[in-house]
């Protein structure tokens, strides 16, 4: 699994979301690298990382565990936030702090859980992915930024970064989507007992900001910040503010 290491200081792992790669953090990491040693990962089948076999959440977490320092802070976005929480639950003594951006304990809507996407929507998305993954990935990018004033510029940037020189592997997209569908840590989230910062956007069309509020209510001592105008990628649209929030949370602001 490919990890790019940049900067010096406190070790921080950055985990991207579905369909992307560590490149999503390129601009953000320029702000963070002065005081932190960043481990920027490409999930299997995305970016420069080959697929792993088997490709299940526990296998993924074990692979990450082999490649990073024993004590680390994790910043996870979207699916990356779910992986970050699962990582801490499996290796509770290995994580100093968590930052979950636009994430959720359960992506799929279920009885008693209204803050996910419908099973019908998700099933249709999976089917479209199998038929034409490039078109489906493009739709996914647009969904993340549909409320943004700069959506055309951001969409072009996303397509160039993640469908250009180094596109994801179709099987990697499928396997990561299965993980996204399977993860449900609602019953385990009370066991997260380290400093946790939750960042979300009210206009997020993928991860409902109310899921972030629910997480905040269950993770003792957690902090939360919700952008009124942000969608799914606040660390891109509101880069400086996200950086300041994280730096303050980590005690270096």
């Amino acid at each position: 699994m490919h990890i790019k290491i940049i900067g010096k200081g406190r070790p921080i792992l950055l985990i991207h979301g579905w369909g992307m790669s560590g490149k999503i953090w390129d601009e953000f990491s320029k702000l963070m690298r002065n005081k932190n040693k960043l481990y920027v990962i490409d999930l299997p089948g995305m970016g420069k990382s080959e697929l792993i076999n088997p490709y299940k959440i526990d296998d993924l977490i074990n692979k990450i565990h082999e490649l990073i320092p024993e004590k680390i802070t994790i910043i996870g976005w979207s699916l990356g936030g779910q992986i970050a929480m699962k990582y801490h639950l499996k290796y509770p003594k290995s994580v100093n702090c968590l930052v979950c951006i636009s994430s959720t304990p359960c992506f799929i809507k279920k009885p008693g859980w209204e803050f996910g996407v419908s099973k019908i929507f998700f099933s249709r998305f999976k089917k479209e992915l199998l038929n034409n993954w490039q078109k489906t990935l493009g739709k996914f990018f647009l969904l993340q930024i549909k409320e943004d004033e700069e959506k055309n510029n951001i969409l072009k940037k996303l397509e160039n970064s993640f469908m250009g020189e180094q596109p994801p592997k179709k099987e990697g997209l499928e396997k990561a989507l299965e993980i996204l569908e399977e993860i449900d840590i609602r019953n385990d989230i009370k066991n997260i007992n380290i400093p946790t910062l939750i960042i979300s956007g009210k206009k997020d069309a993928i991860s409902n900001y109310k899921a972030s509020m629910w997480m905040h209510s269950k993770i003792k001592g957690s902090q939360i910040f919700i952008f009124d105008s942000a969608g799914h990628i606040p660390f891109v649209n509101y880069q400086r503010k996200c950086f300041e929030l994280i730096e303050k949370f980590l005690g270096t602001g």
Side-chain angles (χ1 to χ4, degrees):
M1 202 180 306
H2 178 76
I3 291 188
K4 180 169 71 172
I5 303 174
I6 53 176
K8 293 181 179 180
R10 171 183 45 221
I12 296 179
L13 172 66
L14 299 173
I15 310 179
H16 64 84
W18 184 86
M20 305 291 193
S21 73
K23 281 179 67 66
I24 194 69
W25 301 107
D26 279 1
E27 294 299 316
F28 195 71
S29 63
K30 289 176 184 177
L31 295 175
M32 296 206 68
R33 65 188 179 188
N34 291 332
K35 297 180 180 179
N36 306 290
K37 187 173 185 178
L38 305 176
Y39 293 75
V40 186
I41 196 166
D42 287 344
L43 294 176
M46 300 177 207
K48 295 181 180 179
S49 287
E50 295 300 318
L51 288 161
I52 58 172
N53 188 23
Y55 191 166
K56 297 290 186 182
I57 185 63
D58 281 345
D59 306 295
L60 174 57
I61 287 170
N62 289 338
K63 284 285 185 184
I64 294 173
H65 190 64
E66 293 171 6
L67 297 169
I68 61 174
E70 181 59 34
K71 294 289 285 182
I72 198 164
T73 288
I74 306 180
I75 300 175
W77 165 63
S78 196
L79 170 61
Q82 293 182 309
I83 295 168
M85 289 186 282
K86 288 283 286 185
Y87 186 98
H88 167 60
L89 290 167
K90 184 162 189 179
Y91 296 106
K93 294 182 179 179
S94 295
V95 185
N96 295 318
C97 303
L98 280 174
V99 179
C100 296
I101 304 173
S102 305
S103 196
T104 173
C106 181
F107 191 69
I108 306 295
K109 187 180 291 186
K110 297 178 180 180
W113 181 250
E114 293 297 314
F115 307 138
V117 301
S118 73
K119 187 76 174 175
I120 293 172
F121 171 86
F122 195 83
S123 297
R124 190 187 303 128
F125 189 84
K126 280 174 68 176
K127 186 176 180 180
E128 290 175 353
L129 183 71
L130 294 172
N131 291 334
N132 188 333
W133 71 264
Q134 291 97 335
K135 185 178 179 181
T136 306
L137 194 57
K139 278 185 178 179
F140 180 68
F141 292 161
L142 187 58
L143 192 61
Q144 297 183 62
I145 58 172
K146 67 177 187 175
E147 299 288 344
D148 197 279
E149 294 176 357
E150 298 290 325
K151 69 179 181 181
N152 290 333
N153 291 335
I154 297 172
L155 180 62
K156 191 172 183 179
K157 189 175 180 180
L158 290 176
E159 288 178 338
N160 289 340
S161 295
F162 304 109
M163 295 173 69
E165 294 179 12
Q166 208 148 35
K169 295 176 177 63
K170 181 182 176 184
E171 189 180 349
L173 293 173
E174 292 171 18
K175 293 295 185 182
L177 205 59
E178 288 174 8
I179 288 176
L180 193 61
E181 184 176 15
E182 291 167 5
I183 289 180
D184 185 347
I185 58 171
R186 287 175 295 160
N187 292 332
D188 301 316
I189 204 163
K190 62 182 181 296
N191 297 320
I192 295 177
N193 54 9
I194 57 174
T196 300
L197 173 63
I198 300 162
I199 298 173
S200 185
K202 274 193 176 179
K203 293 187 177 180
D204 193 336
I206 296 172
S207 294
N208 193 321
Y209 77 95
K210 291 180 181 177
S212 292
M213 294 172 66
W214 184 91
M215 286 165 53
H216 174 51
S217 73
K218 300 296 180 183
I219 301 175
K220 191 174 181 180
S222 63
Q223 300 178 33
I224 189 168
F225 186 90
I226 299 175
F227 287 91
D228 287 335
S229 301
H232 194 58
I233 43 177
F235 63 95
V236 171
N237 307 67
Y238 298 90
Q239 184 185 108
R240 171 61 65 173
K241 179 62 177 179
C242 274
F243 167 70
E244 290 171 355
L245 288 167
I246 292 169
E247 286 289 274
K248 183 178 179 182
F249 168 69
L250 297 177
T252 61

